[in-house]
Amino acid sequence: MQLVLDCSVAISWCLVDENNDYANAILVMMPDAEAFVPGIWLLEIANILLVAERRKRMTQEQSEIAIALLQSLLIQVDIATATNALDATLTLGRQEGLAAYDAAY
């Protein structure tokens, strides 16, 4: 199975104080799935982990465990995200009324 993995779904697996039934169901499927994410995804994940640490929602050790989990999954990062930003992504955002970040997905 292939899917596009949103940051909000993946980060709920990482934050110790979150429990999301939809995200948990996706995580159960992940060992048999190949997920695709835009290039900005890694920065989104890193930023949320940093903010969670600063707000004492999780420790650095818990962040490292979360990163290990994400790295253990088959997640393909689209290396063309930046290349497409001012062309295909912008066009899609205009057509569908999306933010550029959402259109990148």
Side-chain angles (χ1 to χ4, degrees):
M1 172 176 51
Q2 295 181 325
L3 58 101
V4 175
L5 181 60
D6 187 74
C7 178
S8 63
V9 170
I11 203 65
S12 73
W13 307 332
C14 302
L15 297 173
V16 294
D17 60 350
E18 287 201 17
N19 188 17
N20 180 304
D21 291 338
Y22 175 78
N24 293 340
I26 299 297
L27 182 58
V28 168
M29 294 187 288
M30 286 302 295
D32 299 316
E34 180 179 23
F36 296 89
V37 297
I40 195 170
W41 189 84
L42 294 168
L43 289 170
E44 290 178 305
I45 294 290
N47 188 60
I48 294 169
L49 293 174
L50 282 171
V51 170
E53 289 175 20
R54 288 178 187 145
R55 293 182 179 169
K56 306 295 186 206
R57 290 181 69 189
M58 66 192 312
T59 64
Q60 183 175 342
E61 293 77 23
Q62 289 169 320
S63 287
E64 291 170 6
I65 292 168
I67 291 166
L69 167 67
L70 295 174
Q71 290 176 333
S72 74
L73 302 172
L74 185 54
I75 300 173
Q76 302 292 330
V77 178
D78 176 20
I79 60 171
T81 300
T83 303
N84 293 323
L86 297 178
D87 186 22
T89 304
L90 184 61
T91 300
L92 180 62
R94 286 177 178 145
Q95 288 173 347
E96 301 299 325
L98 299 170
Y101 302 111
D102 294 334
Y105 278 91

